[in-house]
Amino acid sequence: MHFFEYVNGELYCEDVPLREIGSKFGTPVYVYSARTLKRHYSVFDSAFDGIPHIVCYSLKANSNLAILSLLGGLGSGADVVSFGELSKALKAGIPPEKIVFSGVGKKEEELEKAVKKRILLINVESEGELKKLKEVCERVGSKANLSIRVNPDIDPKTHPYITTGLRKNKFGIGIKDAEKLYLSIRGDRYLKPVGISSHIGSQILELSPFLQAVRSLLDLGERLRSSGIPIQYLDIGGGLGIPYKDENPPHPDEYAKRIKELLIDKDYTLILEPGRVIVGNSGVLLTRIIYIKKTEEKTFYIVDAAMNDLIRPALYDAYHEILPVDGREKRKIKVDVVGPVCESADFFAKGRKIAKQNEGDMLAIMSAGAYGFSMSSNYNLRGRPPEVLVSGKDCYLIRKRETIGDLMRNEIIPEAVKERRI
Ligand code: LLP
């Protein structure tokens, strides 16, 4: 369910025509619907009513401060994977006791910040990290609540690049080794193992891999509890898929119901780290056709957004629906929608049937709220697009378009180069 719909042949975000947003803020521009975000969050969160749980929204999907503040205001916690994400979550007012920190390569300064802020859980992913965490705790003189991210060796049947819970992946620690590590820190003065975590992949469209993961976390939890390790939190990560085209992912209610069945009366607090399911269908990338180029073989709609703005089609061959902002034309033609970047991977759609457009018309690239802006870059020295949040009739600029000044700010021409000494 989202709030991007045609009204009298014009595509709206909530009560605002996208055409108006494109004209006012320029294109390309990311547009998010606050109503959709709020709805997705509350549907997901309330689905778990009945068992103790904390929803820790995964910042990597979209970490705009306005979006974080909005979700924080609804009670969301945060799943972070870097110093930057941790700082942003705190800046947006998300309380440390609702923040979990995942990631295979946390550096010492990242662990230090997490320890000092006393966050809910540091999800440790290797023996080396556990050692480093202990050193940091001793130096800082502070305890740390941690979980070990286990790798339950489950195939989530999604794109290989976003599969994380198989033994061959770099993530987590095999259950047997994890168990040994837990036992090795039993009673430690600084390291407090209070949780078990896992995250098996993203854009998962079936329930069974999740249920398998919960079962293996539960088994381990029970074994650890009986060895005197007071496991309180089971963190099952994110990963619930969304419809981009005609996929039919489980509804959050169904997902929650089946998970709750396994956990009821078990006295654990469940932690969830959803990203895509909250923001994915809350945002679109609005772009304008610069040129229509016909070759002997094809028709290209050359648009002003590019792979640097939304890399998912280039990187994962991902499908994003593309809708004309003016929906009155019904005749469809087959086109490739491509950006201006100098790479053949710079495409949004190939051989797609889209209603016939003219140069200057706008297109909405749908389902771009997750892993859109957050994976954008400045390749080809393109400033990243602005972001606009719509709520009812109101539009708020929540990130300015990057300027050429922004792009050159950190570069330095040494005197030696200026004076031709090099
Ligand atoms: N927790 C952890 C530890 C994760 O690694 C991820 C995503 C999530 C939670 C959130 O997963 P979600 O609910 O959004 O599926 N760039 C890719 C997706 C990469 C996902 C990485 N990890 C894409 O555009 O499809």
Side-chain angles (χ1 to χ4, degrees), residues 402-417:
E402 276 178 344
T403 62
I404 293 304
D406 292 331
L407 300 188
M408 293 197 276
R409 177 164 308 131
N410 292 324
E411 294 180 30
I412 299 160
I413 309 175
E415 287 306 314
V417 172

Side-chain angles (χ1 to χ4, degrees), residues 124-375:
V124 171
E125 301 218 17
S126 63
E127 194 174 347
E129 185 184 342
L130 193 66
K131 219 172 113 206
K132 187 156 282 160
L133 180 59
K134 189 173 160 98
E135 284 164 21
V136 169
C137 288
E138 283 170 356
R139 182 158 49 73
V140 174
S142 181
K143 296 174 186 164
N145 281 343
L146 67 94
S147 79
I148 291 181
R149 174 165 172 186
V150 299
N151 183 328
D153 195 24
I154 292 167
D155 185 359
K157 305 189 190 99
T158 182
H159 192 285
Y161 287 7
I162 51 178
T163 293
T164 47
L166 281 175
R167 204 171 311 151
K168 65 177 179 197
N169 299 129
K170 69 181 173 186
F171 301 95
I173 300 177
I175 302 252
K176 273 200 187 130
D177 290 339
E179 199 165 347
K180 279 189 211 143
L181 280 186
Y182 276 109
L183 294 174
S184 77
I185 56 169
R186 184 168 46 185
D188 192 276
R189 185 152 166 231
Y190 290 106
L191 300 179
K192 300 295 167 197
V194 292
I196 309 173
S197 70
S198 79
H199 169 80
I200 54 173
S202 195
Q203 184 57 7
I204 300 172
L205 298 168
E206 290 173 34
L207 282 178
S208 57
F210 290 114
L211 301 176
Q212 257 178 286
V214 174
R215 282 194 203 96
S216 62
L217 259 56
L218 265 174
D219 285 350
L220 178 59
E222 293 306 302
R223 288 203 299 279
L224 293 174
R225 277 180 169 183
S226 56
S227 314
I229 297 177
I231 298 296
Q232 190 194 339
Y233 300 100
L234 297 185
D235 175 351
I236 64 166
L240 188 58
I242 62 167
Y244 282 95
K245 190 181 181 187
D246 45 16
E247 303 90 335
N248 198 7
H251 188 276
D253 283 343
E254 182 63 14
Y255 168 76
K257 180 170 159 270
R258 301 290 298 279
I259 292 170
K260 284 197 290 191
E261 282 166 6
L262 299 175
L263 290 175
I264 210 95
D265 297 331
K266 288 278 200 291
D267 191 26
Y268 288 103
T269 300
L270 179 67
I271 297 177
L272 300 132
E273 303 173 358
R276 189 188 317 261
V277 72
I278 308 290
V279 286
N281 277 322
S282 308
V284 305
L285 174 59
L286 187 60
T287 183
R288 199 185 278 278
I289 301 175
I290 317 174
Y291 300 113
I292 296 178
K293 179 168 168 175
K294 293 193 174 119
T295 66
E296 269 173 30
E297 274 194 30
K298 287 186 168 193
T299 300
F300 292 100
Y301 285 174
I302 302 173
V303 297
D304 61 5
M307 64 188 289
N308 72 296
D309 304 308
L310 175 67
I311 202 174
R312 302 193 71 257
L315 193 56
Y316 315 112
D317 210 10
Y319 180 97
H320 284 261
E321 198 181 344
I322 299 182
L323 297 178
V325 165
D326 180 340
R328 286 169 305 179
E329 173 64 67
K330 299 292 172 217
R331 275 172 308 163
K332 290 191 172 178
I333 57 166
K334 226 187 215 183
V335 296
D336 280 15
V337 181
V338 301
V341 159
C342 310
E343 301 256 355
S344 294
D346 183 24
F347 66 90
F348 294 112
K350 284 185 177 167
R352 184 82 60 87
K353 280 193 153 171
I354 297 180
K356 214 162 171 287
Q357 301 292 298
N358 295 309
E359 289 179 353
D361 287 348
M362 282 184 232
L363 298 172
I365 305 176
M366 307 303 289
S367 312
Y371 307 107
F373 191 93
S374 64
M375 294 180 81

Side-chain angles (χ1 to χ4, degrees), residues 12-138:
Y12 275 64
C13 174
E14 302 196 10
D15 304 330
V16 186
L18 284 174
R19 179 184 38 82
E20 266 181 39
I21 299 179
S23 308
K24 183 165 175 198
F25 298 97
T27 51
V29 52
Y30 273 100
V31 183
Y32 307 111
S33 152
R35 205 180 284 164
T36 312
L37 273 168
K38 290 194 283 188
R39 189 191 155 87
H40 286 178
Y41 180 82
S42 56
V43 165
F44 191 89
D45 182 40
S46 59
F48 287 93
D49 282 351
I51 58 163
H53 68 278
I54 306 173
V55 176
C56 293
Y57 165 69
S58 190
L59 260 73
K60 62 175 79 67
N62 187 321
S63 66
N64 183 286
L65 280 172
I67 289 178
L68 295 183
S69 308
L70 192 141
L71 293 174
L74 299 174
S76 184
D79 159 49
V80 303
V81 291
S82 66
F83 193 89
E85 287 191 355
L86 177 55
S87 311
K88 255 187 152 181
L90 293 167
K91 167 119 182 151
I94 294 178
E97 62 274 15
K98 282 191 186 169
I99 299 180
V100 299
F101 195 160
S102 319
V104 287
K106 299 183 205 76
K107 296 176 87 170
E108 198 161 326
E109 58 267 31
E110 296 180 308
L111 290 172
E112 184 170 328
K113 177 145 178 155
V115 170
K116 284 187 173 159
K117 291 286 172 190
R118 297 177 185 279
I119 65 168
L120 173 60
L121 277 184
I122 298 175
N123 293 342
V124 171
E125 301 218 17
S126 63
E127 194 174 347
E129 185 184 342
L130 193 66
K131 219 172 113 206
K132 187 156 282 160
L133 180 59
K134 189 173 160 98
E135 284 164 21
V136 169
C137 288
E138 283 170 356

